[in-house]
Amino acid sequence: MRKYIIAGNWKMNKLPSETYDFVKEIAKVTEGATCEVVCCTPYVCLTEAVKAAEGTHVKIGAENLHFEDKGAFTGEVSADMLKDIKVDYVIIGHSERRQYFAETDETVNKKTIKALEKGLIPIVCVGESLEEREAGITMDLIAIQIKKAFANIEAEDAKKVVIAYEPIWAIGTGKTATAEQAEEVCKGIREILAELYCEKCAEEFVIQYGGSMNDQNAAELLAKPNIDGGLIGGASLVAEKFAPIVKAAK
Ligand code: PGA
């Protein structure tokens, strides 16, 4: 049985000074959750977030990391630094990072390997643009993203990775993929994983959907057999909007 994981992706929102109270609020409104609840925050909020989450069911994640251990990489943050402040998860290869910060399938692979090596749980994002969907190449593109992300990663490690399917056209647009569209791709991702590893291994991967998931559409999306959670942007910034999504994940 796979466990649902509902993860908030705050992106570049919220101040360090707002973080402690907000994570406490998230812990309160999601109390008794049967799924894993994660808040992924900006780097500067992480220490406060970890402090607030201590002793609660909420787990904390970063939104990025660098793939090198240390050295002359001005402005970057390493996996050891994240582990040192007791962060559990890290988002890798979000489409905004691919689009605005030159993240590639190769850097996604390096970051995933590093995160696994250091004991962080990677949330690896894949997804197609509207043009790619309209051109009918969604699954081809996703297959490339998945295969490159998992290059040189053995099954035992690979299964620890959470995959977030996020169609770019659905992110922050209010335009959700239909539950059928999301399920089709998540199922396709599981088939690719079965090919890369084995049928049984593929069944163990947690695959999230992300892209305008909210309290109205979460239940229908999460009811699909291959959708095991959500990566939530906008709706993760307001506790009352995030809580119903967590509740729907059971
Ligand atoms: P959204 O963002 O829920 O605001 O569409 C999702 C994401 O980018 O992870």
Side-chain angles (χ1 to χ4, degrees):
M1 271 292 274
R2 296 187 293 267
K3 192 177 184 184
Y4 282 107
I5 301 177
I6 302 294
N9 173 13
W10 293 8
K11 309 192 179 186
M12 199 170 73
N13 295 292
K14 301 226 181 266
L15 298 170
S17 59
E18 298 170 317
T19 297
Y20 186 89
D21 286 350
F22 186 67
V23 171
K24 281 284 181 212
E25 199 183 342
I26 291 290
K28 194 166 157 217
V29 297
T30 61
E31 218 176 312
T34 52
C35 65
E36 178 102 316
V37 179
V38 186
C39 292
C40 297
T41 86
Y43 286 141
V44 290
C45 299
L46 286 170
T47 307
E48 285 300 307
V50 167
K51 213 193 294 174
E54 212 184 302
T56 77
H57 60 286
V58 176
K59 299 281 194 293
I60 302 301
E63 299 174 13
N64 185 28
L65 85 167
H66 196 268
F67 50 78
E68 293 291 350
D69 281 334
K70 58 163 74 171
F73 301 100
T74 302
E76 291 297 317
V77 168
S78 72
D80 283 330
M81 292 171 187
L82 297 176
K83 279 303 279 185
D84 193 60
I85 58 166
K86 300 189 165 55
V87 165
D88 290 311
Y89 284 81
V90 60
I91 299 173
I92 297 174
H94 189 281
S95 62
E96 286 149 17
R97 294 215 57 88
R98 292 178 190 255
Q99 192 178 347
Y100 307 129
F101 303 101
E103 192 90 68
T104 64
D105 289 331
E106 285 70 30
T107 58
V108 168
N109 175 242
K110 286 184 183 176
K111 290 178 179 194
T112 305
I113 290 172
K114 186 53 69 178
L116 287 166
E117 180 194 322
K118 301 292 182 178
L120 291 161
I121 303 171
I123 301 177
V124 172
C125 303
V126 296
E128 83 288 4
S129 66
L130 188 58
E131 297 72 51
E132 288 157 345
R133 173 159 285 266
E134 284 171 350
I137 57 169
T138 297
M139 258 350 279
D140 302 312
L141 183 98
I142 300 276
I144 293 169
Q145 290 177 339
I146 294 284
K147 285 176 186 166
K148 289 193 169 173
F150 284 93
N152 303 313
I153 301 177
E154 299 294 330
E156 270 319 297
D157 270 339
K159 289 186 289 192
K160 298 174 193 155
V161 176
V162 177
I163 297 168
Y165 166 54
E166 299 207 305
I168 298 167
W169 47 273
I171 295 175
T173 56
K175 220 168 150 187
T176 326
T178 63
E180 288 68 32
Q181 284 172 321
E183 166 64 14
E184 189 186 8
V185 177
C186 291
K187 184 167 178 274
I189 291 173
R190 214 176 290 287
E191 286 164 7
I192 297 160
L193 294 167
E195 208 182 288
L196 279 181
Y197 298 105
C198 70
E199 294 265 350
K200 195 174 151 284
C201 312
E203 287 304 315
E204 292 178 44
F205 279 83
V206 171
I207 304 175
Q208 300 175 317
Y209 168 78
S212 300
M213 198 190 254
N214 58 39
D215 53 344
Q216 301 300 309
N217 57 33
E220 195 189 349
L221 286 158
L222 294 168
K224 292 294 179 191
N226 287 289
I227 303 178
D228 313 314
L231 186 56
I232 322 295
S236 74
L237 299 172
V238 181
E240 295 73 35
K241 291 189 178 170
F242 190 62
I245 303 175
V246 170
K247 208 161 278 170
K250 58 168 187 279

